[in-house]
Amino acid sequence: QLQASGGGLVQAGGSLRLSCAASGGTFSRYAMGWFRQAPGKEREFVAAIARVGVSTRYADSVKGRFTISRDNAKNTVYLQMNGLKPEDTAVYFCAADEASTSLYTTQSSGRYDYWGQGTEVTVSS
């Protein structure tokens, strides 16, 4: 089970940190990802992190502004979002992929096995 939190309303240029707490499995076996879905748009990849946290990948639209990290001792993955823009407004979802290797990451939503319920982020201009 994945529980996302940390969303809210922020002004453009501001920051938020999203958290996703996992339960019911061995967290370190999963690569983790963040996706988002804006109103009227398809879900899109944001960031992913490998099981051991060394390997990460980002969507071009968030590179340099967002940072994904994880704490396997706390069964939690984070998304630090800085320099927020109105176009970042969306519902953000975390997802878990039972990865075959420790450095594996993917931006393909179909690869993820479990999804959280989403947390809403609104960026005002």
Side-chain angles (χ1 to χ4, degrees):
Q1 186 174 5
L2 300 174
Q3 182 73 36
S5 61
L9 173 64
V10 64
Q11 288 188 333
S15 299
L16 282 174
R17 187 173 85 153
L18 306 183
S19 299
C20 175
S23 61
T26 304
F27 184 66
S28 61
R29 292 176 57 186
Y30 294 88
M32 301 298 295
W34 286 98
F35 291 77
R36 67 187 181 186
Q37 187 166 17
K41 295 187 177 181
E42 293 187 352
R43 188 173 298 187
E44 65 175 1
F45 170 76
V46 176
I49 188 166
R51 288 164 51 184
V52 297
V54 173
S55 176
T56 58
R57 69 167 71 196
Y58 296 91
D60 288 343
S61 58
V62 307
K63 278 181 183 176
R65 300 189 297 123
F66 291 11
T67 302
I68 188 170
S69 62
R70 66 189 294 161
D71 185 337
N72 285 352
K74 296 182 178 180
N75 291 351
T76 302
V77 62
Y78 304 97
L79 185 68
Q80 178 66 44
M81 305 187 295
N82 298 329
L84 283 161
K85 304 175 181 180
E87 51 263 43
D88 294 319
T89 294
V91 177
Y92 284 71
F93 300 88
C94 59
D97 172 6
E98 191 165 7
S100 57
T101 64
S102 60
L103 297 180
Y104 169 87
T105 61
T106 180
Q107 63 187 64
S108 174
S109 61
R111 297 277 187 169
Y112 286 83
D113 304 295
Y114 304 100
W115 291 81
Q117 86 290 359
T119 185
E120 189 167 3
V121 173
T122 303
V123 184
S124 63
S125 57

